[in-house]
């Protein structure tokens, strides 16, 4: 009895992420990782207002996704080249002293406005040093520059839409105190999220996020 020839296997379609990387990024693996992490933040973790910044730009100006990554080849593929910034759907980290301040005044994190946060794209087993990490933190805007930009956008007034009475007053006091606490680093210095992609041999592309801070946070006793 003659055997029936098997039908040829159809080639699977490329995923949306693979298509995005192939059309938006260069062959530089750090560029591809930046695209992957940005895609993960947007579609899995629901971040908004995402932007890509070139670390070689002293002003960290945002660039368009395809143009910014495809035209800047890396001389050293172990050196961080890009930062991502965006607004998370909820607060990622609160300093212990800031938590205490909020508790004492009956405020919750849900009462506060969400802030833009920086993310450093990295790859698992990417070589690092204190010098490289320090250079990344040096590139982040200083608190004085952030406050000056915020003041130019909203005339120095923090909004408390939908809140009235005593809570609105407490929020105004909180925002004023936060400006001073951040300038003096009472509530910690600069911080960012380090995003690490597992793309090595056998890696499944999982993205893990770590909070990295400038300096050290003293442990608190319960």
């Amino acid at each position: 009895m003659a055997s029936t020839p098997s039908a040829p296997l159809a080639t699977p379609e490329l995923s949306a992420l693979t298509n995005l990387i192939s059309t938006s990024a260069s062959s530089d693996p750090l560029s591809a990782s930046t695209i992957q992490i940005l895609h993960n933040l947007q579609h899995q973790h629901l971040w908004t207002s995402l932007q890509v910044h070139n670390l070689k730009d002293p002003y960290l100006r945002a660039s368009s996704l395809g143009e910014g990554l495809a035209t800047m080849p890396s001389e050293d593929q172990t050196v961080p080249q890009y930062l991502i910034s965006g607004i998370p759907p909820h607060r990622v980290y609160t300093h212990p002293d800031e938590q205490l301040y909020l508790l004492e005044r009956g405020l919750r994190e849900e009462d506060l406005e969400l802030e833009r946060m920086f993310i450093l794209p990295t790859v698992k087993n990417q070589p690092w040093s204190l010098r490289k990490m320090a250079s990344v933190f040096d590139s982040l805007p200083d608190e004085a520059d952030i406050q000056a930009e915020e003041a130019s956008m909203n005339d120095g007034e923090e909004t408390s839409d939908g809140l009235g009475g005593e809570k609105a007053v407490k929020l105004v006091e909180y925002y004023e105190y936060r400006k001073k606490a951040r300038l003096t680093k009472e509530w910690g210095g600069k911080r960012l999220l380090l995003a690490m992609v597992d793309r090595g041999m056998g890696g499944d592309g999982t993205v893990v996020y770590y909070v990295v801070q400038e300096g050290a946070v003293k442990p608190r006793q319960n």
Side-chain angles (χ1 to χ4, degrees):
M1 182 176 179
S3 60
T4 304
S6 58
L9 296 176
T11 303
E13 295 183 2
L14 297 178
S15 68
L17 176 58
T18 301
N19 283 324
L20 179 63
I21 291 175
S22 61
T23 57
S24 300
S26 68
S27 58
D28 178 1
L30 293 184
S31 298
S33 298
T34 301
I35 295 290
Q36 180 177 350
I37 292 167
L38 188 144
H39 185 275
N40 181 264
L41 288 167
Q42 180 179 3
H43 295 285
Q44 181 171 345
H45 298 290
L46 306 180
W47 285 50
T48 57
S49 302
L50 288 162
Q51 298 175 341
V52 178
H53 308 267
N54 180 10
L55 276 172
K56 295 181 180 179
D57 185 344
Y59 300 103
L60 283 184
R61 286 169 291 204
S63 59
S64 61
L65 196 55
E67 176 184 339
L69 297 182
T71 60
M72 293 184 292
S74 171
E75 296 84 0
D76 182 355
Q77 294 185 357
T78 68
V79 176
Q81 305 168 61
Y82 312 110
L83 283 176
I84 299 172
S85 72
I87 300 176
H90 54 76
R91 270 205 159 196
V92 175
Y93 174 85
T94 303
H95 189 277
D97 290 341
E98 185 178 1
Q99 286 181 330
L100 180 61
Y101 183 97
L102 294 172
L103 286 172
E104 290 176 343
R105 287 154 183 81
L107 296 174
R108 300 180 301 173
E109 293 184 357
E110 293 79 5
D111 298 327
L112 311 179
E113 291 183 342
L114 295 173
E115 299 178 274
R116 179 170 294 275
M117 192 168 189
F118 285 95
I119 304 97
L120 175 62
T122 65
V123 181
K124 185 180 179 181
N125 297 326
Q126 179 180 344
W128 276 96
S129 66
L130 289 177
R131 182 186 298 274
K132 290 180 182 179
M133 185 61 72
S135 68
V136 173
F137 275 98
D138 288 342
S139 69
L140 296 179
D142 293 324
E143 184 60 30
D145 297 332
I146 295 175
Q147 292 187 14
E149 182 178 355
E150 290 177 348
S152 65
M153 295 177 62
N154 56 23
D155 296 329
E157 296 181 359
E158 301 290 349
T159 61
S160 54
D161 296 339
L163 297 174
E166 185 179 357
K167 178 168 285 190
V169 173
K170 290 181 178 179
L171 280 173
V172 172
E173 294 175 351
Y174 161 79
Y175 288 125
E176 286 300 320
Y177 190 86
R178 186 179 70 177
K179 292 177 182 179
K180 300 176 184 178
R182 290 186 174 178
L183 286 173
T184 60
K185 298 187 178 182
E186 178 185 345
W187 289 351
K190 299 177 182 179
R191 66 177 64 99
L192 53 75
L193 279 183
L194 187 147
M196 184 177 295
V197 185
D198 184 4
R199 300 187 65 186
M201 183 67 69
D204 59 0
T206 299
V207 184
V208 182
Y209 298 90
Y210 303 90
V211 176
V212 182
Q213 305 188 80
E214 184 181 40
V217 177
K218 296 181 181 179
R220 300 302 190 272
Q221 185 175 4
N222 294 330

